[in-house]
Amino acid sequence: MKMIEAIIKPFKLDSVREALTTIGINGLTVSDVRGYGRQKGHTELYRGAEYVLSFIPKIKVELAVKDEEVEKCIETIKKSAFTGKIGDGKIFVHTLDKVVRIRTGDENEEAL
């Protein structure tokens, strides 16, 4: 089992969610996050004053999947989050040692 974390642009969330749903992924967690990479922030104008936003608003999408679903999920996220511009995001994959569904006590793949 793997945990996939994708950091994407906020306006791409709906297309990523819809694309994941079409391949059979029914559960995910979404968080509002801020950060920067190569973008290094950007300049904003507020009431005539210019200031630098060091941390760019992003969305973190997290989903736990079976090992055989990982590559399909990565490709789906890559295609649906792509704009071709800097700041499209990143995808991280972590190994899950154990998953437990609280309501039923199901464990591991049965809990997904």
Side-chain angles (χ1 to χ4, degrees):
M1 298 173 299
K2 304 288 187 205
M3 174 66 76
I4 298 175
E5 293 181 15
I7 309 297
I8 62 172
K9 292 182 176 187
F11 69 89
K12 286 302 216 169
L13 176 60
D14 286 335
S15 62
V16 169
R17 185 191 54 78
E18 289 170 13
L20 287 169
T21 300
T22 61
I23 65 165
I25 303 300
N26 297 316
L28 53 88
T29 302
V30 175
S31 305
D32 289 313
V33 296
R34 295 182 300 150
Y36 70 91
R38 290 184 179 163
Q39 285 176 289
K40 305 280 191 262
H42 66 274
T43 305
E44 292 275 330
L45 193 63
Y46 179 72
R47 293 188 177 183
E50 197 173 272
Y51 65 99
V52 176
L53 282 177
S54 298
F55 296 98
I56 308 297
K58 299 285 184 170
I59 296 289
K60 179 164 69 169
V61 178
E62 298 171 286
L63 50 148
V65 299
K66 298 175 184 175
D67 289 334
E68 58 269 16
E69 297 174 322
V70 172
E71 290 306 317
K72 187 192 290 188
C73 288
I74 290 171
E75 286 305 312
T76 300
I77 294 167
K78 281 171 45 179
K79 287 178 185 171
S80 57
F82 179 81
T83 67
K85 295 186 170 53
I86 193 166
D88 272 354
K90 292 212 168 56
I91 300 171
F92 305 96
V93 180
H94 310 276
T95 300
L96 289 176
D97 294 327
K98 187 169 188 171
V99 177
V100 178
R101 178 177 287 131
I102 295 171
R103 179 179 56 87
T104 62
D106 291 345
E107 292 188 3
N108 299 324
E109 290 190 2
E110 292 80 33
L112 295 178

